Amino acid sequence: MSRHRVEVLIRPRPGLLDPEGKAIHHALASLGFQGVEEVRGGKSVSLEVEAKDPAEARERAEEMCRKLLANPVMEDYEIQMAGDDVPEGA
Amino acid sequence: MSRHRVEVLIRPRPGLLDPEGKAIHHALASLGFQGVEEVRGGKSVSLEVEAKDPAEARERAEEMCRKLLANPVMEDYEIQMAGDDVPEGA
Amino acid sequence: MKISVITFPGSNCDYDCYKALRDVVGVDAEFRWHKDRELGGADAVILPGGFSYGDYLRAGSIARFSPIMEKVVEFAADGGPVLGICNGFQILCEAGLLPGALLRNEGLTFQSHDVHLRVENAETLFTSGYQKGQVLRMPIAHGEGNYHADTETLSRLEGDGRIVFRYVNAEGETTPWANPNGSAHHIAGILNEPGNVLGMMPHPERAVEEILGSTDGLGIFTSLVEHLSATAPAPS
Amino acid sequence: MRHQERSGAEGAGPATGTETGRGEAPEPRPGDPEITPEVVDEHGLSPDEYDRVVEILGRTPTFTELGVFSAMWSEHCGYKNSKRLLRLLPTEAPWVIQGPGENAGVIDIGEGLALAFKIESHNHPSAVEPYQGAATGVGGILRDVFTMGARPVAVLNSLRFGDLDSGRVRYLFAGVVKGIGDYGNCVGIPNIGGEVHFDRGYEGNPLVNAMCLGLMKREDLIRGEAEGVGNVLMAVGARTGRDGIHGATFASEELSEDSEASRPQVQVGDPFTEKLLLEASLELIRSGHIVGIQDMGAAGLTSSASEMAGRSGSGVELDTARVPVREPGMTPYEILLSESQERMLVVAKKGREPQVREILERWELEAKAIGAVTDDGAFRVLEEGRVVADIPALPLTEGCPTYEREGVESPEVIGLRETDLTPYVDKETDLEEAFLELLSSPNIGSKRWIYEQYDTTVRTQTVVRPGGSAGVIRVRGTRKGIAATTDCNGRYTYLSPRRGAMIAVAEAARNLVCVGALPTAVTNNLNFGNPLKPEIYFQLREAVLGMAEACRLFETPVTGGNVSLYNETNGKAVYPTPVVGMVGVLEDIHRVTTHHFQEEGDVIVLLGGETHGALGGSEWLYVRHGQVAGDPPEVDLLEERRLQHGVLALIERGIVRSALDCSEGGLACALATAAVGEGEAPLGVDAEVEGKAGPVGLLFGEDQGRVLVSCRPGDEGELHRMAKNHGIAARRLGTVGGPRGMFTVRAGTAATADSIRVPVDEVAQVFFDAIPHRMKVVEASRPSSAST
Ligand SMILES: Nc1ncnc2c1ncn2[C@@H]1O[C@H](COP(=O)(O)OP(=O)(O)O)[C@@H](O)[C@H]1O
Ligand SMILES: [Mg+2]
């Protein structure tokens, strides 16, 4: 058993209204940041998970997401672990 | 010029009380998730940034963080871009 | 004499401040829209409570970039009195006019009820009408009022007497239960270094008439008005 | 959304023919599903109803038209199963300016001012996503009020959940309260009260009803009408997304081939936009640039546009391609049925669009012309100029078939009602323990955990905050005040729907007089199960009859409300819950009275009926024996009315120092509530309850028609004299004790055997900890059965 650092990103599902993203987008624009698109606000949770290997840690984190961290009717989640590549179009 | 997807993670600064993280930790424990530690709650903002290359996109995102997205009194931020390695101890 | 109340999109205590000033204190007040670029010759400025820009991202983080804030910063730099209440306090911190930041309440829930405050410094232009140690009662209503600053800042605030109000119980003691949001040092309101900018989480404008349950907030406005009358240039 | 049709248009004779303005039948839209019996069924229309649609149109509907009919003829908009019953409610009085049929009811409160108010449910959305469901419920009811031209000044909420020992219930409860709080707090509307009940009868189906009150000058009243040919329809506020399309009537995968992910059903609220929309709308209404305004609520653009057309008798034509959307590729069907929040439909005077746009831009909002008022009576929808729906507006909005169904009382309920409670009473051995257990029930204990999350003092007008008998606000510029309350005991209505509904009205009125307000008018929310079941229809009919009778007697007309049916999980319905939202007027705000005892030595008096010890459907029976049974308390409406007038007179005279309605938990709990007040300075009590009943009944019986008051010792004689003149009984119970004193209540004679004796500090502790100690476990357990 060892401890694995997991980062969970939780975002509103696409298509859902995202007032926070809208407000941030608006603020960025009025601060003069042009050419910024698709601004979405979300949550993140970082944790250290005890598991025998990274795969198991990820699996446990998945379960936490399904059970608690994300609300499936509203949110999608992404699990990141050290050494992962940040995906292209998450 | 092209569009680059940037993910900004915003976390309470270490040492700062993190009641949200504590609440999540507690809830996980009461759902039976043992061996979870160092739970921290945070925010995430994802955006697409127009820039000539990833380096410039990152630089622009940095500036957004300094100006608006994070408050240095209470928050740290981390910028992720597609293809990045998720760091070990962010 | 005229006091400007700034309305940001999402402000919702602007009207309450305005009514308190005009109807109860009896001083001229006017609204200023966040897009205005002038303060219109105001002698003091109030940033009222509410949810400017929905409090999205962080409370006050977007409002601080409103056009009028440039003027407010200038006004404050020139020594003009600025009072930020609740969301106004949050905006002042985000704008750097006051040190520190307001985090989410420690209990994570919105807190709306009366609190007791102890006047820690009665020698400011906002509190001259009170006695040091006096206990006031007025409502709070906020989700992000947990004052935070680094240790150094806190000890500077303490040392300079810039902690103006602290949360206490009805007997005036700083018991843990008396702190509604987890604020460092029980801080409910602080002053900037020169002493002309006050930020506070509780709502004095909601405690200005007997029928509302308390008149303890009135002193802040009357102190301010007295200060302004004393410093007003003689009419030419 | 409305109670009554306008003018007997229902069943509007033979359906009007096909010939509308354009005279061209819309072509099926490429990509739309074919209209098959299955598709019709999925839209919730019966074969007969579908035949009627075909008859009205004189042809087969397009897919878009089918969606429109299905939404407008859903229970929610069309009131199929309740319309005929609702007609039984009294709706008129000289002070009623606007009765049922509009976005909100409006009454005259004198001095040129009017009060708009309405209640609405968001039960189903809250079961799926408690936070957003409840939040958007508040948003919707605020819009209903400010679209009448009134500024929202107060909100209340009426909630029902299962027992708090379930993790899922705690999750729902916490989410709902936070959702209601966050939304109202952000917009800046104070909460002044509400109610909450926890009972296994609501286990699968929480009820979330939100009520809003708004004030306006009489002349600012505006109605949701589309008048004047050539006037311009404008979509205002937030953009239209795919939110809630499923919610309208059905869940179907055939809608388009998009994956589930691209068709979210959860509506997300944006209170910040709502606040801007509120300010902009009030400014618009006062500007004179518009003739009508309506919220795009349930069934969105479809219901707002067709109802505005229906009400005025004109027609409308709009083009979905001009509606600002949040996502590309939305079909007319989706645009018409979207329930995206924070949107309004405005009818601008011809040529005034720029002025309208200017006002909205100042509030950082969009306004876009999407169509115009016509004179051909049609609800016509185009997509880039091509007709996709062309429906006669009146049969669409008012022609929904209505049904009167068979109602039969469930034998199970009859059995429960006729249960003999004596064995339970005999088993009660420890009155003090029973008392403390009752006080710590979340149904009796303080609701502070809830209303501390609601801003109650913003707008600096709240005179009585939540926690008392009813919330009170002052009316600036006058001496008047407005009081409001919501009430309904679902156990009573379950055991005896008619009597339960009467009690709900009586209790609401009692709560209002306790603060010194004259009960004036009612809005109501009928939360029931599936009306196609005879036992449910029976409940609905009986409850409406009871409510009608009581409202008639108290002269509190019903000015509007909401019907929420099909509140069932796995075939099990919630208790029938006809929530009564009642408003009252205080002529002199300085006479306002609160519920807690004021001073040591004051005399405690019980006004009104005798304590017979009514334990049917009582909290005692539930808490001590887990039973919901017996005959609910009797209610004598004439006696109630007499009592209410008496209490009002005493308050107006300034004799009464506190007044509290005596209801759930009986006299013992009422005494405790009055003793602890808001918890800052609990006062002791020394009281004795007499009557024919045994000690359990005397202490915990929920007999109606009783009000607990206190007065200065010197005023006792006058109190008795006035009570006598008003024909109401007044019994001295005892005296108020000192701070931190003893809370002593004896049942029957001075024999100490049957008494409760607890330090009042302990009483306060138990009372205020009722909800917090159950919520301490930070619960967020995700609903596994999210779809109800
Ligand atoms: N959901 C709620 N929101 C706000 N206030 C509430 C809520 N539930 C209860 N309250 C307040 O708590 C107090 C007690 O409620 P309740 O026990 O229903 O009183 P009563 O029996 O007099 O109707 C009332 O002032 C009521 O307004
Ligand atoms: Mg009640």
Side-chain angles (χ1 to χ4, degrees):
Chain A
M1 294 299 258
S2 56
R3 269 159 84 167
H4 304 264
R5 197 168 161 280
V6 180
E7 188 77 50
V8 180
L9 299 192
I10 302 147
R11 305 192 186 82
R13 293 181 64 168
L16 271 184
L17 184 69
D18 174 22
E20 180 156 58
K22 208 173 90 187
I24 296 172
H25 196 167
H26 188 95
L28 285 172
S30 65
L31 281 177
F33 289 102
Q34 299 305 314
V36 182
E37 297 300 329
E38 303 286 328
V39 183
R40 306 285 284 171
K43 283 183 293 197
S44 74
V45 177
S46 72
L47 11 98
E48 298 204 345
V49 179
E50 198 114 324
K52 67 174 193 296
D53 55 27
E56 196 197 63
R58 183 185 300 273
E59 213 168 277
R60 296 194 63 199
E62 288 264 1
E63 204 191 329
M64 295 176 208
C65 285
R66 280 193 307 268
K67 280 213 172 143
L68 177 78
L69 301 177
N71 181 351
V73 299
M74 294 212 34
E75 293 163 331
D76 289 334
Y77 59 84
E78 176 189 326
I79 290 173
Q80 298 184 344
M81 294 189 57
D84 281 5
D85 265 5
V86 173
E88 184 57 58
Chain B
M1 293 299 258
S2 57
R3 269 158 84 166
H4 305 263
R5 196 168 161 278
V6 180
E7 189 77 49
V8 180
L9 299 191
I10 301 153
R11 302 193 188 82
R13 296 187 60 168
L16 231 146
L17 214 63
D18 173 24
E20 193 175 357
K22 223 171 83 188
I24 296 172
H25 196 166
H26 189 100
L28 284 172
S30 71
L31 283 177
F33 288 103
Q34 301 304 315
V36 182
E37 296 301 329
E38 302 285 329
V39 183
R40 307 284 286 170
K43 282 182 289 202
S44 72
V45 177
S46 73
L47 11 97
E48 299 204 344
V49 180
E50 198 116 325
K52 68 173 193 301
D53 55 29
E56 195 196 66
R58 183 185 301 272
E59 211 169 278
R60 294 193 64 201
E62 287 266 2
E63 203 191 329
M64 293 175 208
C65 285
R66 280 195 306 269
K67 272 210 173 152
L68 175 74
L69 300 179
N71 178 345
V73 178
M74 54 185 190
E75 293 163 330
D76 288 334
Y77 60 85
E78 175 191 327
I79 290 172
Q80 298 184 343
M81 295 189 57
D84 281 5
D85 263 7
V86 173
E88 184 57 55
Chain C
M1 184 193 309
K2 189 168 67 190
I3 301 180
S4 281
V5 178
I6 315 283
T7 302
F8 299 93
S11 294
N12 63 31
C13 305
D14 47 342
Y15 184 74
D16 300 348
C17 288
Y18 177 87
K19 292 303 262 186
L21 290 168
R22 284 187 85 118
D23 296 358
V24 186
V25 181
V27 61
D28 192 14
E30 67 166 19
F31 292 117
R32 282 276 142 186
W33 184 234
H34 74 120
K35 278 192 176 153
D36 288 352
R37 291 176 187 277
E38 288 305 328
L39 284 172
D43 299 290
V45 172
I46 296 186
L47 307 189
F51 289 72
S52 56
Y53 291 96
D55 272 4
Y56 294 127
L57 193 60
R58 290 181 311 278
S61 63
I62 300 180
R64 69 163 278 217
F65 293 110
S66 280
I68 193 95
M69 281 307 290
E70 263 173 51
K71 291 291 158 197
V72 174
V73 171
E74 277 172 26
F75 180 78
D78 290 345
V82 177
L83 169 61
I85 301 168
C86 200
N87 196 226
F89 184 11
Q90 295 159 339
I91 296 170
L92 289 175
C93 287
E94 284 283 340
L97 286 176
L98 289 172
L102 292 144
L103 317 184
R104 260 183 94 178
N105 294 349
E106 199 175 17
L108 298 175
T109 55
F110 193 87
Q111 292 285 312
S112 160
H113 49 82
D114 281 356
V115 294
H116 291 98
L117 306 178
R118 192 171 65 207
V119 180
E120 302 291 84
N121 182 347
E123 269 146 45
T124 81
L125 66 94
F126 302 97
T127 53
S128 58
Y130 298 117
Q131 306 292 319
K132 184 173 159 74
Q134 191 176 339
V135 176
L136 314 176
R137 181 193 170 108
M138 61 185 77
I140 54 165
H142 61 248
E144 300 178 29
N146 177 354
Y147 183 78
H148 167 83
D150 57 43
T151 339
E152 197 193 305
T153 307
L154 285 171
S155 54
R156 205 147 9 93
L157 288 173
E158 290 280 7
D160 298 351
R162 284 160 56 197
I163 298 174
V164 181
F165 300 113
R166 249 187 263 268
Y167 297 109
V168 292
N169 64 11
E171 285 74 47
E173 303 149 350
T174 50
T175 59
W177 280 108
N179 187 343
N181 52 28
S183 277
H185 298 210
H186 283 240
I187 286 172
I190 56 166
L191 208 58
N192 68 345
E193 214 169 329
N196 62 319
V197 177
L198 172 69
M200 64 189 296
M201 287 314 293
H203 286 278
E205 82 281 10
R206 300 188 190 180
V208 294
E209 289 174 82
E210 215 50 81
I211 191 122
L212 302 175
S214 170
T215 55
D216 290 352
L218 206 46
I220 290 176
F221 303 107
T222 51
S223 301
L224 172 60
V225 167
E226 207 161 288
H227 165 84
L228 293 178
S229 330
T231 53
S236 47
Chain D
M1 280 157 295
R2 354 236 85 91
H3 264 174
Q4 278 204 337
E5 74 279 18
R6 286 227 113 188
S7 50
E10 172 242 10
T16 15
T18 45
E19 297 314 313
T20 49
R22 298 217 162 186
E24 42 172 306
E27 294 285 312
R29 203 178 156 273
D32 276 353
E34 212 182 306
I35 312 296
T36 62
E38 292 75 46
V39 169
V40 170
D41 186 57
E42 279 160 359
H43 278 76
L45 293 172
S46 71
D48 282 352
E49 288 163 358
Y50 178 71
D51 287 347
R52 196 168 161 87
V53 168
V54 173
E55 196 189 330
I56 288 171
L57 294 173
R59 59 180 164 77
T60 305
T62 63
F63 184 65
T64 308
E65 288 171 334
L66 185 68
V68 166
F69 270 103
S70 127
M72 292 303 294
W73 287 11
S74 67
E75 190 63 50
H76 198 81
C77 295
Y79 288 88
K80 284 186 224 193
N81 293 296
S82 55
K83 206 173 214 174
R84 298 191 185 194
L85 293 175
L86 293 172
R87 222 173 283 139
L88 301 168
L89 295 169
T91 59
E92 283 173 16
W95 54 89
V96 174
I97 297 174
Q98 176 65 58
E102 267 287 345
N103 296 322
V106 182
I107 58 169
D108 191 337
I109 58 164
E111 304 190 38
L113 297 174
L115 179 75
F117 64 104
K118 172 100 184 289
I119 194 167
E120 190 146 273
S121 64
H122 240 209
N123 303 339
H124 180 93
S126 304
V128 176
E129 216 301 306
Y131 179 86
Q132 293 295 346
T136 51
V138 175
I141 197 64
L142 293 177
R143 289 193 295 280
D144 275 345
V145 165
F146 69 73
T147 47
M148 300 301 292
R151 177 173 284 278
V153 290
V155 286
L156 297 93
N157 61 105
S158 172
L159 313 175
R160 301 292 183 283
F161 300 95
D163 287 323
L164 266 184
D165 46 27
S166 133
R168 173 162 158 81
V169 170
R170 286 195 291 267
Y171 161 75
L172 291 173
F173 174 49
V176 163
V177 169
K178 189 167 167 48
I180 290 173
D182 283 359
Y183 203 100
N185 297 345
C186 182
V187 183
I189 317 298
N191 177 289
I192 61 165
E195 55 172 347
V196 63
H197 283 94
F198 303 92
D199 185 294
R200 58 175 181 265
Y202 300 100
E203 178 80 52
N205 266 89
L207 301 182
V208 177
N209 296 175
M211 175 170 166
C212 177
L213 277 61
L215 274 173
M216 68 178 126
K217 294 204 187 100
R218 273 200 69 149
E219 69 260 26
D220 286 333
L221 175 68
I222 183 168
R223 295 188 168 89
E225 288 183 8
E227 261 175 355
V229 176
N231 282 342
V232 182
L233 258 54
M234 299 181 84
V236 160
R239 292 174 159 245
T240 299
R242 289 190 166 102
D243 324 49
I245 292 167
H246 284 237
T249 17
F250 78 125
S252 159
E253 291 310 290
E254 288 95 68
L255 212 55
S256 78
E257 47 277 35
D258 288 343
S259 73
E260 189 59 34
S262 69
R263 258 192 289 105
Q265 28 180 322
V266 176
Q267 303 156 34
V268 174
D270 178 6
F272 169 61
T273 296
E274 178 98 344
K275 166 73 174 161
L276 301 178
L277 194 56
L278 183 166
E279 299 298 341
S281 298
L282 292 179
E283 196 173 323
L284 263 186
I285 290 167
R286 258 144 239 173
S287 73
H289 297 314
I290 67 171
V291 299
I293 180 167
Q294 181 153 341
D295 173 31
M296 293 195 214
L301 185 52
T302 294
S303 74
S304 51
S306 63
E307 282 178 10
M308 281 170 102
R311 283 199 198 112
S312 62
S314 43
V316 295
E317 180 174 293
L318 60 92
D319 194 324
T320 56
R322 291 160 74 183
V323 175
V325 290
R326 219 164 62 219
E327 296 171 74
M330 287 182 68
T331 65
Y333 183 103
E334 290 172 322
I335 291 171
L336 285 172
L337 296 181
S338 158
E339 296 189 357
S340 289
Q341 299 289 301
E342 292 95 18
R343 298 178 302 157
M344 292 285 193
L345 185 66
V346 161
V347 182
K349 289 181 184 161
K350 197 174 176 175
R352 305 280 183 88
E353 302 102 286
Q355 286 92 325
V356 169
R357 222 172 281 123
E358 195 187 314
I359 289 175
L360 278 134
E361 271 164 17
R362 187 156 61 242
W363 292 101
E364 314 200 340
L365 293 169
E366 272 185 299
K368 190 128 186 292
I370 60 166
V373 177
T374 62
D375 62 358
D376 62 7
F379 170 65
R380 188 162 40 250
V381 181
L382 321 179
E383 183 188 24
E384 292 188 63
R386 201 157 34 83
V387 179
V388 293
D390 195 340
I391 306 171
L394 205 57
L396 173 65
T397 57
E398 307 293 352
C400 172
T402 61
Y403 306 96
E404 200 154 332
R405 301 197 181 268
E406 189 198 10
V408 181
E409 182 163 33
S410 141
E412 192 189 324
V413 172
I414 298 175
L416 285 173
R417 186 171 58 234
E418 289 173 355
T419 308
D420 176 15
L421 302 182
T422 332
Y424 297 113
V425 175
D426 291 345
K427 257 186 262 170
E428 181 59 270
T429 50
D430 193 336
L431 292 176
E432 208 162 278
E433 186 189 274
F435 169 67
L436 291 174
E437 203 179 331
L438 271 171
L439 271 193
S440 79
S441 154
N443 291 326
I444 305 280
S446 169
K447 314 298 185 283
R448 195 157 75 180
W449 187 89
I450 301 173
Y451 56 75
E452 276 188 355
Q453 297 187 50
Y454 301 158
D455 194 336
T456 55
T457 49
V458 62
R459 297 193 55 75
T460 56
Q461 44 154 41
T462 309
V463 176
V464 179
R465 304 180 194 175
S469 304
V472 180
I473 55 168
R474 63 166 163 177
V475 181
R476 277 185 194 280
T478 73
R479 289 187 72 80
K480 284 177 196 284
I482 304 283
T485 179
T486 64
D487 286 285
C488 178
N489 181 319
R491 287 181 198 141
Y492 298 168
T493 27
Y494 175 60
L495 294 167
S496 171
R498 189 184 302 213
R499 192 186 288 175
M502 284 182 191
I503 292 177
V505 179
E507 185 183 342
R510 259 190 333 258
N511 278 327
L512 293 183
V513 299
C514 282
V515 296
L518 178 71
T520 312
V522 162
T523 180
N524 75 97
N525 209 328
L526 302 174
N527 305 277
F528 287 77
N530 178 353
L532 306 185
K533 296 182 183 167
E535 70 270 20
I536 302 285
Y537 193 78
F538 172 86
Q539 295 172 338
L540 184 59
R541 188 180 64 208
E542 287 289 301
V544 169
L545 285 171
M547 187 182 290
E549 191 179 336
C551 286
R552 202 166 278 128
L553 213 121
F554 295 156
E555 292 180 89
T556 49
V558 176
T559 63
N562 176 249
V563 177
S564 169
L565 304 178
Y566 304 99
N567 290 291
E568 300 202 0
T569 312
N570 302 329
K572 199 172 169 306
V574 295
Y575 291 156
T577 311
V579 172
V580 172
M582 194 182 279
V583 296
V585 177
L586 289 91
E587 284 307 319
D588 183 357
I589 191 73
H590 297 281
R591 283 274 178 247
V592 75
T593 301
T594 53
H595 74 286
H596 48 267
F597 294 145
Q598 300 288 308
E599 203 179 339
E600 181 171 1
D602 281 355
V603 177
I604 305 169
V605 175
L606 183 66
L607 297 175
E610 191 132 347
T611 304
H612 296 289
L615 291 168
S618 68
E619 184 68 15
W620 171 82
L621 192 60
Y622 190 75
V623 162
R624 293 295 271 179
H625 300 286
Q627 299 293 317
V628 175
D631 207 7
E634 292 191 24
V635 54
D636 180 336
L637 295 175
L638 283 169
E639 282 296 326
E640 287 279 356
R641 196 179 151 113
R642 211 186 338 253
L643 169 70
Q644 290 164 19
H645 285 178
V647 172
L648 269 184
L650 283 164
I651 287 176
E652 267 157 30
R653 265 295 194 74
I655 289 174
V656 164
R657 297 190 86 188
S658 75
L660 177 63
D661 162 43
C662 197
S663 56
E664 285 114 32
L667 250 181
C669 293
L671 283 164
T673 309
V676 300
E678 273 308 292
E680 290 192 1
L683 294 171
V685 162
D686 185 14
E688 197 166 291
V689 191
E690 274 177 90
K692 291 186 195 81
V696 174
L698 287 176
L699 293 171
F700 310 126
E702 301 183 356
D703 302 69
Q704 295 297 299
R706 298 177 303 163
V707 169
L708 187 70
V709 301
S710 66
C711 68
R712 290 198 170 81
D715 286 337
E716 200 187 346
E718 177 67 2
L719 188 150
H720 281 283
R721 201 185 56 75
M722 278 189 71
K724 193 160 172 230
N725 287 347
H726 278 88
I728 53 176
R731 289 176 195 80
R732 181 189 220 266
L733 297 183
T735 51
V736 176
R740 332 214 82 96
M742 208 35 129
F743 180 86
T744 308
V745 183
R746 285 177 295 276
T749 60
T752 42
D754 292 333
S755 72
I756 294 168
R757 220 178 124 71
V758 186
V760 74
D761 279 351
E762 191 185 328
V763 173
Q765 165 115 31
V766 172
F767 181 78
F768 287 108
D769 212 25
I771 295 179
H773 97 262
R774 288 179 168 82
M775 296 304 291
K776 225 167 260 149
V777 201
V778 187
E779 279 297 336
S781 100
R782 215 30 96 185
S784 47
S785 57
S787 48
T788 42

